[in-house]
Amino acid sequence: FKQHNGIIAEVTATYDGKTSVIVASGNGRLNAVNHAIKKYFNLDYALDVYEEHSLSKRSDAQAISYVGIKPAGQEKLYWGAGTDDDIIQSSIDALVNAVNRYMKVK
């Protein structure tokens, strides 16, 4: 991630055995990664729901994130969840999980 007029993300994605680096920007790290995924896979959806919290009250607690994406023209939400020591990584994992669920039925 780089900060310049928002956040710029360089995202490495592997799909069908091909690895690519996608560069996208957003108003935050999750938003930038979201734009990179949409760009790479040519997807049209809205990141409609985003929730996160810690799994305990300790300072070394893991974070859990939930993401719901809504494809254009649909009312159905595709959900994903992720956990990690880092809240941003748990959010990205949740987004990838939701996108994977959507792509399975697309």
Side-chain angles (χ1 to χ4, degrees):
F1 297 104
K2 296 176 187 172
Q3 189 163 356
H4 179 73
N5 295 329
I7 300 293
I8 299 170
E10 289 185 13
V11 177
T12 303
T14 302
Y15 183 71
D16 279 344
K18 181 182 172 194
T19 300
S20 300
V21 176
I22 309 98
V23 177
S25 61
N27 63 2
R29 292 178 286 179
L30 180 60
N31 188 249
V33 171
N34 184 48
H35 287 157
I37 290 171
K38 290 167 79 170
K39 178 179 171 181
Y40 181 71
F41 291 106
N42 194 30
L43 296 174
D44 187 10
Y45 64 81
L47 200 163
D48 208 49
V49 179
Y50 170 63
E51 297 286 334
E52 43 137 272
H53 62 87
S54 65
L55 291 173
S56 73
K57 294 181 182 188
R58 297 170 34 130
S59 63
D60 62 349
Q62 278 207 316
I64 186 163
S65 298
Y66 308 94
V67 167
I69 62 171
K70 187 182 292 186
Q74 294 185 28
E75 290 300 314
K76 179 176 175 139
L77 283 172
Y78 292 85
W79 289 95
T83 59
D84 197 89
D85 293 336
D86 180 274
I87 190 65
I88 297 303
Q89 187 60 54
S90 75
S91 302
I92 291 168
D93 291 348
L95 175 62
V96 168
N97 188 284
V99 169
N100 283 337
R101 288 175 189 269
Y102 169 53
M103 289 181 66
K104 282 184 180 179
V105 298
K106 183 177 176 212

